[in-house]
């Protein structure tokens, strides 16, 4: 896990920082464990973790004017220097416009600016500390710093309404640690904090001018190609070259690497057979340069890119996708590796893993992803985020009605009607889209709050069935999460109060709240947060996962796509096909981009059935029940029913199990992210006390 941390004090001498650390509010001297000091007092900044040398750059104009960029950034040192001078005037957006995935921190005198990304994959957190403000790109270090307890209201919102930003707002699982929203920057002036957005906000009063579809797709192609090229041009790394224990009888270098759980040298990519991973693999293998392994290491095929395909032997229905992956891998620039997974890689099969910064539903399947990534490269491309960035959220149908573009609803509604086989589908979808287009955001939140508050049975919080029901459920400003049906009435009431309180925040009900665009951004932010948890939970030492679809410039280019183009059936595959054609790739296997039968749900149900006994044991005395979020017997009954084949929302059960696992790992950890004198405490020092009545008290105190 890699992160950066620093703080800004209210007075120049309040925190004396240096190589030895900083003096806190009780007179103790503290500094992060395993840190690299980037600059010192009075506003110090550290990089913590296994950063590569080329991933940390600091460019100075003078001792009080400098910029630090951490991550993969396509800007040259001269571009960083020019940007630093431009940032003196307070400009922010240009700091986020370089290709790559990175965090930029600018210091001009006593003013610090920390830029988050557009998707939310590289978030920024902050908390008051020692009369100033501490910030970091991870929440747990700040929670350790202030010895924060858990925020049970946030945990309840994660289960009851994870797709509704107003329910979570700026909170984190740690009480007192806040998150800045995607597309914003944290500005600190001598300890005082301000959160500013750097993206223009569209107005509801005037519809956006129609964009040219061809130009918009060309912009997506250029941004995606540049994102891939930036990673290919970065220095290559041989994982673990300095810690190879030497010859082992009967084992070559590759076997020793595999035994240590280290990736293959060079660059590789997922190749699932889907359009997103296939596009990145073909782009990375076709661009000029040497995308494959480092010459002299591994297979010696320096020009070939390692393509990894996961073959789940426990489920059926992925034969066509595997055939497409094999056809794509016939490219001589690709070296194809198929990773077969049996019952040991099913979700819920292996629930051991590291503590992540925040909880996420992927914790139940982290071992499954780790099995695939263990055969990957030191730099590994993934197609995560393509669906959320390029696809049309169903709520965008309401945006089309708001812009009086009814004719563009014909194709998506016809596709839903064909999938459902009912002649009533067009009328139902149109009515739901029309209702959403006329509903203010405040009314949507109030309706959801009432729905949670009046919850008396499971009938109102059931998960949608087919594609039509899922689309109708998405044609709202917000809906309960799949785990909401198993929460206690007290927890649902807490989330309801949070939603009602959010309707009085002016920034949530101002201009720019187009329902489709708003819901799409919220879905992207949640997916990016889940990917961040997955990177930490399935981390392979010395490996870097790259998700170019979540880069700022790719997200910006995708947001400029016309809505009429997005809502067409098969739009994502058509866009990516055009991207590949523009890059010179025109021969694709038959059926490329055709939606395939989803295997994730089948694997989840199989894994749940196999691990049912251990999961029921996990919820004998769950921490979630101590926190007042669930009743243990209700969850045990749901797990047994789902294992028996009842149609329950499996993603809701994954949310519950993942949060329970995360709480247990958090409370079982030893040590802290900080060192100094006196000895530092850690987050949640008192553990979880029984919370019966605490949620309601917390709601009333608001």
């Amino acid at each position: 896990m890699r992160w950066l941390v620093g703080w800004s004090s209210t007075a120049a001498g309040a925190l004396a920082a240096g190589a030895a650390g900083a003096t806190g509010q009780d007179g103790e001297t503290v500094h992060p464990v395993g840190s690299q000091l980037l600059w010192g007092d009075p506003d110090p900044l550290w990089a913590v973790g296994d950063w590569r040398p080329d991933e940390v750059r600091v460019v100075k104009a003078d001792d009080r004017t400098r910029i630090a960029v951490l991550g993969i950034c396509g800007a040259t040192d001269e571009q960083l220097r020019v940007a630093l001078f431009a940032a003196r005037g307070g400009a922010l957006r240009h700091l986020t416009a370089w290709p790559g995935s990175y965090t930029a921190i600018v210091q001009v005198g006593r003013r610090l600016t920390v830029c988050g990304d557009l998707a939310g994959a590289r978030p920024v957190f902050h908390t008051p500390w020692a009369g100033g403000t501490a910030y970091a790109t991870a929440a747990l270090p700040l929670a350790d710093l202030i010895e924060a307890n858990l925020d049970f209201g946030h945990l309840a919102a994660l289960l009851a309404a994870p797709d509704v930003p107003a329910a979570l707002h700026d909170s984190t699982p740690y009480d007192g640690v806040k998150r800045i929203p995607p597309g914003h920057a944290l500005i600190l002036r001598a300890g005082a904090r301000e959160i500013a957005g750097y993206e223009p906000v569209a107005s509801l009063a005037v519809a956006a001018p129609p964009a040219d579809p061809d130009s918009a797709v060309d912009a997506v192609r250029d941004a995606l190609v540049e994102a891939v090229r930036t990673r290919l041009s970065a220095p290559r790394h041989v994982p673990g070259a300095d810690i190879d224990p030497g010859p082992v009888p009967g084992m070559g270098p590759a076997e020793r690497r595999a035994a240590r759980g280290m990736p293959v040298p060079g660059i590789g990519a997922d190749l699932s057979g889907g359009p997103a991973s296939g596009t990145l693999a073909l782009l990375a293998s076709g661009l000029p340069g040497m995308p494959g392994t480092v010459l002299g290491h591994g297979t010696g095929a320096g020009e070939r890119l390692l393509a990894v395909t996961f073959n789940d032997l426990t489920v059926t229905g992925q034969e066509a996708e595997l055939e497409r992956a094999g056809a794509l891998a016939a490219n001589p620039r690709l070296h194809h590796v198929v990773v077969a997974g049996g019952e040991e890689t099913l979700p819920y099969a292996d629930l051991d893993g590291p503590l992540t910064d925040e909880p996420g539903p992927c914790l139940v399947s982290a071992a499954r992803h780790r099995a695939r990534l263990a055969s990957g490269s030191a730099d590994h491309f993934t197609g995560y985020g393509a669906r959320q960035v390029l696809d049309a959220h169903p709520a965008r149908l309401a945006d089309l009605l708001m812009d009086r573009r009814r004719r563009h609803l014909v194709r998506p509604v016809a596709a839903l009607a064909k999938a459902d086989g009912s002649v009533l589908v067009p009328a139902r979808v149109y009515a739901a889209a029309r209702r959403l287009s006329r509903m203010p955001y405040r009314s949507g939140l109030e309706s959801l709050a009432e729905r949670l508050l009046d919850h008396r049975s499971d009938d109102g919080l059931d998960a949608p069935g087919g594609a039509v029901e899922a689309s109708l459920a998405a044609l709202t400003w917000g809906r309960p999460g799949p785990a909401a049906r198993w929460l206690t009435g007290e927890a649902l009431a807490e989330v309801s109060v949070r939603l009602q309180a959010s309707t009085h925040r002016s920034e949530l009900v101002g201009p720019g709240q187009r329902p489709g665009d708003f819901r799409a951004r919220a879905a992207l932010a949640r997916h990016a947060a889940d990917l961040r948890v997955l990177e930490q939970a399935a981390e392979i030492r010395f490996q870097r996962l790259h998700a170019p679809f979540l880069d700022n410039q790719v997200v910006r280019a995708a947001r400029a796509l016309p809505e009429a183009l997005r809502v067409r059936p098969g739009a994502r595959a058509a866009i990516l096909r055009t991207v590949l054609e523009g890059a010179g790739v025109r021969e694709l296997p038959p059926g490329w981009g055709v939606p395939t039968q989803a295997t994730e749900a089948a694997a989840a149900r199989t894994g749940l059935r196999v691990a049912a006994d251990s999961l029921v044991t996990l919820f004998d005395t769950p921490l979630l029940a101590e926190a007042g979020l669930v009743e243990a017997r209700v969850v045990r009954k749901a797990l047994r029913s789902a294992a028996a084949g009842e149609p329950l929302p499996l993603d809701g059960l994954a949310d519950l199990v993942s949060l329970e696992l995360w709480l247990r790992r958090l409370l079982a950890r030893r040590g802290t992210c900080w060192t100094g004198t006196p000895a530092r405490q850690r987050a949640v020092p008192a553990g979880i006390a029984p919370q019966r009545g605490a949620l309601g008290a917390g709601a009333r105190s608001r």
Side-chain angles (χ1 to χ4, degrees):
M1 183 173 171
R2 294 164 296 281
W3 40 280
L4 62 90
V5 63
W7 48 66
S8 176
S9 60
T10 55
L15 297 174
T23 302
Q25 55 190 355
D26 296 326
E28 77 273 26
T29 300
V30 298
H31 62 268
V33 176
S35 60
Q36 170 189 355
L37 184 68
L38 301 184
W39 61 63
D41 59 340
D43 305 313
L45 175 66
W46 289 275
V48 185
D50 60 335
W51 292 96
R52 293 173 175 174
D54 56 287
E55 292 176 334
V56 180
R57 287 193 290 166
V58 179
V59 175
K60 297 182 180 180
D62 54 57
D63 289 340
R64 302 299 298 156
T65 306
R66 46 201 169 189
I67 180 173
V69 176
L70 288 88
I72 301 294
C73 179
T76 64
D77 287 350
E78 184 59 29
Q79 288 176 316
L80 293 180
R81 191 171 287 106
V82 172
L84 179 58
F85 291 126
R88 284 179 170 177
L92 298 178
R93 193 173 187 273
H94 69 284
L95 300 173
T96 67
W98 299 305
S101 178
Y102 57 89
T103 301
I105 308 97
V106 174
Q107 183 185 49
V108 179
R110 294 303 312 282
R111 187 184 72 199
L112 283 169
T113 302
V114 190
C115 295
D117 66 335
L118 288 175
R122 302 183 72 91
V124 177
F125 305 89
H126 63 91
T127 187
W129 186 70
T133 300
Y135 63 90
T137 54
L140 182 57
L142 297 183
D144 280 346
L145 185 65
I146 65 173
E147 301 175 10
N149 287 310
L150 289 170
D151 184 343
F152 296 103
H154 176 87
L155 299 181
L158 272 181
L159 297 174
D163 294 322
V164 184
L168 300 171
H169 189 36
D170 61 353
S171 62
T172 67
Y174 313 100
D175 191 19
V177 179
K178 304 299 182 183
R179 176 200 318 267
I180 69 168
H184 287 68
L186 176 66
I187 302 174
L188 304 174
R189 293 181 176 89
R193 61 185 173 274
E194 173 191 354
I195 298 175
Y198 54 76
E199 285 295 288
V201 179
S203 174
L204 277 175
V206 180
D212 177 53
D214 294 336
S215 299
V217 174
D218 289 344
V220 172
R221 179 200 63 208
D222 295 342
L224 195 56
V225 169
E226 193 61 31
V228 174
R229 181 181 285 117
T230 297
R231 290 163 170 85
L232 291 179
S233 60
R236 301 297 166 81
H237 295 270
V238 181
D242 56 338
I243 62 172
D244 193 330
V248 177
M251 295 178 64
E255 287 79 9
R256 294 201 302 270
R257 175 201 59 77
R260 296 195 307 272
M262 294 190 182
V264 177
I267 295 180
D270 284 338
L271 187 63
S272 67
S277 63
T279 297
L280 293 179
L282 292 174
L283 283 179
S285 63
L287 290 176
M290 196 179 298
T293 58
V294 180
L295 286 174
H297 297 274
T299 63
E303 75 284 356
R304 294 205 294 171
L305 179 138
L306 179 67
V308 180
T309 299
F310 183 76
N311 180 16
D312 192 345
L313 303 178
T314 62
V315 297
T316 59
Q318 57 177 350
E319 291 79 8
E321 199 166 0
L322 291 174
E323 289 179 5
R324 283 192 291 274
L328 290 171
N331 188 320
R333 284 183 171 269
L334 296 177
H335 173 62
H336 196 205
V337 173
V338 178
V339 178
E343 285 194 356
E344 71 281 358
T345 62
L346 282 170
Y348 306 100
D350 182 4
L351 298 181
D352 292 331
L355 172 66
T356 56
D357 190 43
E358 298 180 275
C362 64
L363 294 183
V364 300
S365 57
R368 183 180 181 85
H369 295 283
R370 196 180 303 116
R372 181 186 84 254
L373 297 174
S375 298
S377 296
D379 289 277
H380 198 76
F381 285 94
T382 65
Y384 291 115
R387 184 185 305 275
Q388 288 72 21
V389 168
L390 298 176
D391 281 11
H393 193 280
R396 287 192 184 272
L397 299 179
D399 292 359
L400 291 174
L401 286 181
M402 295 174 69
D403 294 339
R404 302 180 181 229
R405 299 176 184 175
R406 295 181 179 85
R407 62 187 180 89
H408 295 298
L409 272 68
V410 174
R411 295 178 67 174
V413 171
L416 286 174
K418 181 179 180 181
D420 188 76
S422 172
V423 296
L424 301 178
V425 168
R428 296 175 64 196
V429 173
Y430 181 82
R434 186 169 179 266
R435 182 169 55 252
L436 177 59
S437 66
R438 297 185 175 189
M439 177 181 291
Y441 181 49
R442 185 194 300 270
S443 300
L445 291 184
E446 291 174 347
S447 175
L448 177 58
E450 293 176 0
R451 186 176 177 186
L452 293 175
L453 192 60
D454 296 338
H455 172 53
R456 291 294 180 268
S457 66
D458 292 340
D459 297 338
L461 302 180
D462 281 343
V468 174
E469 296 301 325
S471 297
L472 291 174
L475 282 166
T476 58
W477 280 109
R479 68 180 308 274
R485 57 185 290 156
W486 294 299
L487 296 189
T488 62
E490 184 184 43
L492 293 175
E494 161 71 5
V495 181
S496 177
V497 171
R498 291 170 70 102
L499 288 171
Q500 291 170 353
S502 70
T503 61
H504 302 294
R505 293 197 292 264
S506 59
E507 71 271 15
L508 292 181
V509 294
Q513 303 298 333
R514 301 175 69 82
D517 182 66
F518 180 81
R519 290 295 306 275
R521 292 180 186 228
L524 174 61
R526 188 191 180 200
H527 179 80
D530 291 344
L531 174 60
R532 178 171 173 264
V533 175
L534 173 62
E535 285 183 301
Q536 299 167 12
E539 183 178 20
I540 302 296
R541 193 179 184 191
F542 299 114
Q543 186 179 66
R544 296 291 187 271
L545 294 186
H546 301 285
F549 285 104
L550 298 180
D551 285 8
N552 283 346
Q553 290 300 82
V554 177
V555 172
R556 283 193 179 102
R559 286 179 177 175
L561 291 170
E563 289 179 342
L565 174 63
R566 285 179 180 272
V567 299
R568 296 176 186 172
R572 173 164 46 102
I575 292 171
L576 294 179
R577 183 185 293 271
T578 305
V579 167
L580 288 175
E581 289 176 353
V585 180
R586 291 180 172 81
E587 294 184 4
L588 296 173
W592 187 85
V594 174
T596 57
Q597 178 183 357
T599 58
E600 290 81 3
R605 190 169 295 280
T606 303
L608 189 64
R609 185 179 67 251
V610 173
D613 293 339
S614 62
L615 293 177
V616 170
T617 303
L618 179 70
F619 280 88
D620 278 343
T621 55
L623 296 177
L624 288 176
E626 292 186 26
L629 300 178
V630 302
E631 292 185 13
R633 61 175 182 82
V634 173
V635 179
R636 291 196 298 267
K637 178 182 177 182
L639 289 170
R640 293 191 185 99
S641 300
E646 291 190 21
L648 296 176
L650 300 181
D651 44 356
L653 291 174
D655 289 342
L656 290 173
V657 175
S658 296
L659 185 51
E660 176 68 21
L661 288 173
W662 182 82
L663 288 173
R664 288 174 180 255
R665 293 173 187 175
L666 178 65
L667 297 185
R669 70 187 286 244
R670 296 181 181 274
T672 174
C673 296
W674 300 86
T675 185
T677 54
R680 298 297 302 172
Q681 285 286 346
R682 58 178 182 267
V684 199
I688 297 181
Q691 296 295 320
R692 296 295 180 187
L695 288 173
R700 289 191 296 272
S701 66
R702 286 185 176 83

